[in-house]
Amino acid sequence: MIADPPTAVPAESYVLPASYGQVRLWLLDQAQLGGPVYNTVNPLRIRGALDTARLRRALHTVVERHEVLRSVLRLQGADVVAVVHTRLDVPLDERDLAGRGGVDAIEEEIRRVAARPFDLAIGPLVRCHLLRVAADDHVLVVVIHHAIGDPRSSEILVGELAAGYAADADGADPRLPELPIQYPDFAAWQRQAADAGAFDDALDRWRQRLAGVRPTELPAELPPPDRRTARAVTAPVVVPADVLRRLRGLAGGVTPFMVAMAAYAALLGRWSGRDEVVVALPADGRDQPELRHVVGYFINTLPVRVDLSGDPTFGELLGRVRAACLAAYADAAVPFERIVEAAAPGRDVGRMPLAQAWLVVREPVALPRPAGLELTPVRIPPAYLPFDVALSLTHDEGALSGDLAAAADLITPATVRQAARRLAEMLAAVAGAPETRLSQLPLLQPAVPPAQPIGDPWPVPPGEPADEPGGDDSAAVEQLLRRLWTEILEVDNVAADDEFYASGGNSLRAVRLVMQAREAGLELPMDVVLGEHTLRQLADAATGTGGR
């Protein structure tokens, strides 16, 4: 059920548009499917004589500098908007871990603070924790909700905190790049560009690429739980530098990312038993120079379809992957929600449409060195996962290293460990014998189709139904929904078996549907609204009658 928003915007705040990505995250949060899944955490070990008062002042400066850090997401009418506070205090929460067991205690505390959910309507949507290990040894844990930040935003925050800390020692203002725009300006541009048809040609290309696509589903090894937890099981992955160097020579213009993508696609194909897979890739979303130093949720998801048919060699697969990635990145400005609309896939609440496999390959970040302090990243494997499977790697000193993660509700730790080992073994084998075909690679055995596929939605308890729902109630609700769909989808008429998203629905229109139904006295179950549904199915769910 959607929480009632505050009745008024505080006097010292102003209202600005929310981006497409923020609207989707707000919907997931209202359906109670967000929790800590979309909390971004980047811990840093700080060694040296740390002045916590200076760090607090630097934190205040950074929050003042970026509007999005002072933002919350609320409903205004039938729209999700960003409410920006003119001032917002983000405290530095200090905790003493001295003598509490070393590395294990640190990791446990990082996971604990990272798992605490945010309230998107109240905020702040950024938290800072300082864990004291010793007098000259601390861990800074900055937790950001994904609706206001992405991995690049975390890098910006750390750099600006370090600059503010260093400048404070001299009583000066930090030398930071000017911000010609703020994140809400980008959100407004995104809406205006979509309304003006700026994405139409690219959307046609996405529609062609994804025609008839089926999400890659892995076989579930565990009985489906009553409610998906989004918890992850992980295993380490390492690809040595000499192996990666030989693999990159198999095809011209191939990056470490493309090598990882080809290997991952081959693994997923064998794991799922399919001859094509769809992998979600991140696009930075900061192509404009004005966005380079802005904190916000810019990262975009690109669903890339990889053809594994014909038993290609790994070198041939690399060529296919390179072409698919270049085509996707050429149209990376299209918001993911618009791509979903164009492809019109089935929607399962709680799962990402189009792609349930994620891949990211990052380059190492050069950390600042404030006077007297040494900063090093603390590596924590993901505890939660919005996908069924994810491969997260870092390209450093010519090698690749990171984690393979999978949904703990569906896949056993033993299988994840085996898959991680086979991924590394496969790449080593191909580096020595590049003409090896996919069928000959040392991968997982072909999957047996699961009795109950991973695609089942996360069941979320709907709102309380009427004590004795009857046919008259269902007919009245169906009539109301028919009128609302006609208005919101801008169509002349709606049939009972028309599907909302296939008929032109999207996240913004879903918000309007929920709010206009509420104004008419009808509370719609958010789990159904978010998933694929027909008018009749939604009416039945709203009245508690089940299928008819």
Side-chain angles (χ1 to χ4, degrees):
M1 178 176 176
I2 295 182
D4 290 332
T7 55
V9 173
E12 296 185 353
S13 301
Y14 44 98
V15 176
L16 294 170
S19 67
Y20 279 99
Q22 287 180 318
V23 172
R24 178 164 182 80
L25 290 177
W26 182 90
L27 280 165
L28 289 170
D29 184 77
Q30 295 303 309
Q32 301 177 16
L33 299 174
V37 180
Y38 295 102
N39 290 4
T40 301
V41 58
N42 290 277
L44 282 178
R45 197 77 177 255
I46 305 176
R47 290 183 169 89
L50 179 66
D51 186 329
T52 56
R54 284 168 58 186
L55 183 59
R56 281 195 188 87
R57 289 191 290 270
L59 175 60
H60 175 78
T61 299
V62 172
V63 173
E64 286 290 300
R65 174 173 160 83
H66 296 277
E67 285 183 349
V68 74
L69 297 179
R70 294 178 272 115
S71 299
V72 295
L73 297 179
R74 295 179 185 167
L75 277 178
Q76 186 179 75
D79 286 325
V80 179
V81 297
V83 177
V84 183
H85 300 290
T86 55
R87 295 184 63 83
L88 183 65
D89 178 39
V90 176
L92 181 65
D93 176 34
E94 296 186 59
R95 307 189 180 204
D96 195 343
L97 298 186
R100 284 183 49 188
V103 174
D104 289 342
I106 293 171
E107 182 171 331
E108 179 182 352
E109 187 65 15
I110 291 172
R111 291 191 181 281
R112 192 186 70 79
V113 299
R116 204 174 88 220
F118 288 96
D119 186 329
L120 296 188
I122 303 301
L125 302 185
V126 55
R127 295 193 300 261
C128 292
H129 306 271
L130 187 65
L131 313 180
R132 182 181 182 274
V133 181
D136 59 351
D137 189 0
H138 297 78
V139 177
L140 178 65
V141 186
V142 180
V143 187
I144 307 173
H145 193 280
H146 205 17
I148 67 162
D150 51 22
R152 170 59 184 152
S153 296
S154 297
E155 297 170 14
I156 294 170
L157 283 178
V158 169
E160 293 190 357
L161 281 173
Y165 182 90
D168 187 86
D170 302 324
D173 293 329
R175 294 182 178 179
L176 298 174
E178 290 189 16
L179 298 179
I181 67 172
Q182 294 278 346
Y183 182 75
D185 299 316
F186 164 79
W189 168 84
Q190 190 184 57
R191 298 280 195 94
Q192 292 165 1
D195 292 343
F199 304 133
D200 289 355
D201 290 344
L203 278 171
D204 285 340
R205 291 189 288 273
W206 279 112
R207 192 177 290 109
Q208 293 168 13
R209 289 183 202 121
L210 299 173
V213 72
R214 292 187 303 159
T216 303
E217 294 187 356
L218 305 181
E221 301 175 310
L222 301 171
D226 291 337
R227 183 181 177 87
R228 291 274 296 267
T229 66
R231 292 188 180 275
V233 288
T234 63
V237 175
V238 176
V239 180
D242 62 324
V243 170
L244 183 59
R245 184 179 62 255
R246 282 182 284 169
L247 290 169
R248 292 184 65 183
L250 297 182
V254 171
T255 65
F257 178 89
M258 293 173 184
V259 171
M261 174 74 161
Y264 191 39
L267 176 71
L268 292 172
R270 183 74 64 85
W271 200 344
S272 65
R274 292 186 179 174
D275 61 3
E276 75 166 16
V277 296
V278 182
V279 179
L281 311 179
D284 182 68
R286 297 170 186 268
D287 297 336
Q288 309 304 320
E290 297 86 354
L291 305 177
R292 194 168 300 154
H293 303 290
V294 180
V295 172
Y297 178 24
F298 294 99
I299 199 167
N300 194 28
T301 300
L302 307 179
V304 177
R305 191 175 191 172
V306 181
D307 178 14
L308 303 170
S309 64
D311 198 18
T313 66
F314 192 80
E316 291 169 343
L317 178 58
L318 270 175
R320 296 181 189 182
V321 164
R322 181 177 183 275
C325 288
L326 291 176
Y329 280 115
D331 294 324
V334 182
F336 177 65
E337 184 61 26
R338 298 300 301 272
I339 297 174
V340 172
E341 292 173 39
R347 293 186 180 221
D348 289 334
V349 61
R351 302 180 73 231
M352 187 73 72
L354 292 174
Q356 278 80 58
W358 172 258
L359 171 66
V360 60
V361 178
R362 299 187 179 93
E363 296 295 325
V365 178
L367 292 172
R369 298 182 63 88
L373 298 179
E374 178 187 355
L375 307 184
T376 55
V378 178
R379 182 176 171 274
I380 298 289
Y384 297 91
L385 197 63
F387 298 88
D388 292 341
V389 61
L391 179 61
S392 302
L393 301 172
T394 298
H395 177 229
D396 191 11
E397 297 183 353
L400 290 171
S401 62
D403 298 285
L404 179 68
D409 296 328
L410 307 166
I411 308 297
T412 64
T415 296
V416 176
R417 289 194 296 270
Q418 182 192 23
R421 286 196 303 270
R422 292 297 173 86
L423 187 68
E425 291 169 0
M426 175 196 65
L427 287 174
V430 170
E435 296 307 311
T436 303
R437 298 196 174 274
L438 297 191
S439 62
Q440 301 170 314
L441 293 175
L443 290 168
L444 296 170
Q445 293 302 311
V448 176
Q452 182 153 358
I454 287 176
D456 288 351
W458 296 8
V460 179
E464 291 295 325
D467 290 338
E468 295 183 1
D472 291 343
D473 292 336
S474 296
V477 167
E478 192 170 307
Q479 183 177 1
L480 170 63
L481 289 176
R482 192 185 304 275
R483 177 176 64 80
L484 294 179
W485 281 35
T486 301
E487 296 172 359
I488 292 170
L489 299 178
E490 300 175 351
V491 295
D492 294 333
N493 54 69
V494 176
D497 293 325
D498 284 352
E499 201 279 325
F500 182 75
Y501 293 98
S503 302
N506 55 36
S507 294
L508 294 171
R509 287 176 168 177
V511 173
R512 289 179 57 196
L513 175 64
V514 170
M515 296 314 299
Q516 291 183 26
R518 171 178 287 178
E519 291 171 1
L522 176 65
E523 195 69 42
L524 297 178
M526 281 293 295
D527 60 317
V528 179
V529 173
L530 276 173
E532 181 179 291
H533 61 273
T534 65
L535 185 144
R536 177 173 289 133
Q537 288 170 339
L538 184 56
D540 289 344
T543 57
T545 60
R548 286 189 287 153

